[in-house]
PDB file of all heavy atoms in Angstrom:
ATOM      1  N   ALA I 176      11.620 119.283  45.012  1.00  0.00           N
ATOM      2  CA  ALA I 176      11.336 119.729  46.361  1.00  0.00           C
ATOM      3  C   ALA I 176      12.198 118.940  47.359  1.00  0.00           C
ATOM      4  O   ALA I 176      12.567 119.447  48.393  1.00  0.00           O
ATOM      5  CB  ALA I 176       9.845 119.521  46.656  1.00  0.00           C
ATOM      6  N   LYS I 177      12.518 117.725  46.988  1.00  0.00           N
ATOM      7  CA  LYS I 177      13.290 116.917  47.890  1.00  0.00           C
ATOM      8  C   LYS I 177      14.688 117.431  48.088  1.00  0.00           C
ATOM      9  O   LYS I 177      15.145 117.615  49.215  1.00  0.00           O
ATOM     10  CB  LYS I 177      13.329 115.491  47.305  1.00  0.00           C
ATOM     11  CG  LYS I 177      13.666 114.434  48.327  1.00  0.00           C
ATOM     12  CD  LYS I 177      13.415 113.075  47.811  1.00  0.00           C
ATOM     13  CE  LYS I 177      13.950 112.042  48.773  1.00  0.00           C
ATOM     14  NZ  LYS I 177      14.182 110.748  48.120  1.00  0.00           N
ATOM     15  N   SER I 178      15.384 117.777  46.952  1.00  0.00           N
ATOM     16  CA  SER I 178      16.740 118.264  47.063  1.00  0.00           C
ATOM     17  C   SER I 178      16.814 119.791  47.223  1.00  0.00           C
ATOM     18  O   SER I 178      17.858 120.318  47.546  1.00  0.00           O
ATOM     19  CB  SER I 178      17.553 117.816  45.853  1.00  0.00           C
ATOM     20  OG  SER I 178      17.128 118.575  44.705  1.00  0.00           O
ATOM     21  N   GLY I 179      15.721 120.430  46.957  1.00  0.00           N
ATOM     22  CA  GLY I 179      15.721 121.904  47.056  1.00  0.00           C
ATOM     23  C   GLY I 179      16.089 122.602  45.773  1.00  0.00           C
ATOM     24  O   GLY I 179      16.229 123.836  45.704  1.00  0.00           O
ATOM     25  N   LEU I 180      16.252 121.831  44.692  1.00  0.00           N
ATOM     26  CA  LEU I 180      16.629 122.368  43.410  1.00  0.00           C
ATOM     27  C   LEU I 180      15.618 123.372  42.891  1.00  0.00           C
ATOM     28  O   LEU I 180      14.422 123.075  42.842  1.00  0.00           O
ATOM     29  CB  LEU I 180      16.769 121.199  42.421  1.00  0.00           C
ATOM     30  CG  LEU I 180      17.147 121.546  40.983  1.00  0.00           C
ATOM     31  CD1 LEU I 180      18.550 122.017  40.863  1.00  0.00           C
ATOM     32  CD2 LEU I 180      16.866 120.376  40.065  1.00  0.00           C
ATOM     33  N   ASN I 181      16.033 124.580  42.550  1.00  0.00           N
ATOM     34  CA  ASN I 181      15.275 125.652  41.964  1.00  0.00           C
ATOM     35  C   ASN I 181      14.085 126.113  42.785  1.00  0.00           C
ATOM     36  O   ASN I 181      13.066 126.633  42.263  1.00  0.00           O
ATOM     37  CB  ASN I 181      14.719 125.226  40.590  1.00  0.00           C
ATOM     38  CG  ASN I 181      15.864 124.936  39.608  1.00  0.00           C
ATOM     39  OD1 ASN I 181      16.961 125.482  39.735  1.00  0.00           O
ATOM     40  ND2 ASN I 181      15.576 124.102  38.646  1.00  0.00           N
ATOM     41  N   ILE I 182      14.189 126.028  44.116  1.00  0.00           N
ATOM     42  CA  ILE I 182      13.098 126.473  44.971  1.00  0.00           C
ATOM     43  C   ILE I 182      12.873 127.974  44.852  1.00  0.00           C
ATOM     44  O   ILE I 182      11.741 128.472  44.850  1.00  0.00           O
ATOM     45  CB  ILE I 182      13.375 126.105  46.449  1.00  0.00           C
ATOM     46  CG1 ILE I 182      13.358 124.612  46.690  1.00  0.00           C
ATOM     47  CG2 ILE I 182      12.377 126.810  47.404  1.00  0.00           C
ATOM     48  CD1 ILE I 182      12.051 123.955  46.376  1.00  0.00           C
ATOM     49  N   GLN I 183      13.969 128.684  44.631  1.00  0.00           N
ATOM     50  CA  GLN I 183      13.875 130.138  44.491  1.00  0.00           C
ATOM     51  C   GLN I 183      12.924 130.516  43.363  1.00  0.00           C
ATOM     52  O   GLN I 183      12.178 131.471  43.457  1.00  0.00           O
ATOM     53  CB  GLN I 183      15.267 130.711  44.220  1.00  0.00           C
ATOM     54  CG  GLN I 183      15.387 132.146  44.667  1.00  0.00           C
ATOM     55  CD  GLN I 183      16.755 132.718  44.407  1.00  0.00           C
ATOM     56  OE1 GLN I 183      17.691 131.974  43.987  1.00  0.00           O
ATOM     57  NE2 GLN I 183      16.910 134.006  44.587  1.00  0.00           N
ATOM     58  N   ASP I 184      12.952 129.724  42.260  1.00  0.00           N
ATOM     59  CA  ASP I 184      12.078 129.999  41.109  1.00  0.00           C
ATOM     60  C   ASP I 184      10.638 129.997  41.507  1.00  0.00           C
ATOM     61  O   ASP I 184       9.810 130.725  40.951  1.00  0.00           O
ATOM     62  CB  ASP I 184      12.283 128.944  40.005  1.00  0.00           C
ATOM     63  CG  ASP I 184      13.682 129.014  39.416  1.00  0.00           C
ATOM     64  OD1 ASP I 184      14.395 129.967  39.725  1.00  0.00           O
ATOM     65  OD2 ASP I 184      14.002 128.122  38.582  1.00  0.00           O
ATOM     66  N   VAL I 185      10.325 129.136  42.527  1.00  0.00           N
ATOM     67  CA  VAL I 185       8.904 129.062  42.946  1.00  0.00           C
ATOM     68  C   VAL I 185       8.486 130.362  43.585  1.00  0.00           C
ATOM     69  O   VAL I 185       7.438 130.911  43.303  1.00  0.00           O
ATOM     70  CB  VAL I 185       8.736 127.879  43.912  1.00  0.00           C
ATOM     71  CG1 VAL I 185       7.290 127.835  44.404  1.00  0.00           C
ATOM     72  CG2 VAL I 185       9.127 126.581  43.311  1.00  0.00           C
ATOM     73  N   PHE I 186       9.363 130.897  44.484  1.00  0.00           N
ATOM     74  CA  PHE I 186       9.031 132.167  45.120  1.00  0.00           C
ATOM     75  C   PHE I 186       8.843 133.310  44.045  1.00  0.00           C
ATOM     76  O   PHE I 186       7.923 134.088  44.154  1.00  0.00           O
ATOM     77  CB  PHE I 186      10.122 132.565  46.124  1.00  0.00           C
ATOM     78  CG  PHE I 186      10.150 131.770  47.355  1.00  0.00           C
ATOM     79  CD1 PHE I 186      11.044 130.727  47.545  1.00  0.00           C
ATOM     80  CD2 PHE I 186       9.236 132.021  48.369  1.00  0.00           C
ATOM     81  CE1 PHE I 186      11.096 129.956  48.701  1.00  0.00           C
ATOM     82  CE2 PHE I 186       9.257 131.272  49.556  1.00  0.00           C
ATOM     83  CZ  PHE I 186      10.191 130.235  49.701  1.00  0.00           C
ATOM     84  N   GLU I 187       9.785 133.329  43.142  1.00  0.00           N
ATOM     85  CA  GLU I 187       9.723 134.368  42.100  1.00  0.00           C
ATOM     86  C   GLU I 187       8.490 134.242  41.270  1.00  0.00           C
ATOM     87  O   GLU I 187       7.827 135.248  40.924  1.00  0.00           O
ATOM     88  CB  GLU I 187      10.992 134.319  41.241  1.00  0.00           C
ATOM     89  CG  GLU I 187      12.280 134.662  41.993  1.00  0.00           C
ATOM     90  CD  GLU I 187      12.368 136.106  42.527  1.00  0.00           C
ATOM     91  OE1 GLU I 187      11.697 136.990  41.898  1.00  0.00           O
ATOM     92  OE2 GLU I 187      13.046 136.343  43.555  1.00  0.00           O
ATOM     93  N   ALA I 188       8.104 133.000  40.975  1.00  0.00           N
ATOM     94  CA  ALA I 188       6.901 132.797  40.143  1.00  0.00           C
ATOM     95  C   ALA I 188       5.665 133.267  40.895  1.00  0.00           C
ATOM     96  O   ALA I 188       4.747 133.854  40.286  1.00  0.00           O
ATOM     97  CB  ALA I 188       6.788 131.301  39.763  1.00  0.00           C
TER      98      ALA I 188
END
Side-chain angles (χ1 to χ4, degrees):
Chain I
K177 201 168 171 199
S178 71
L180 178 72
N181 298 335
I182 292 298
Q183 206 181 353
D184 293 354
V185 178
F186 286 102
E187 294 295 332

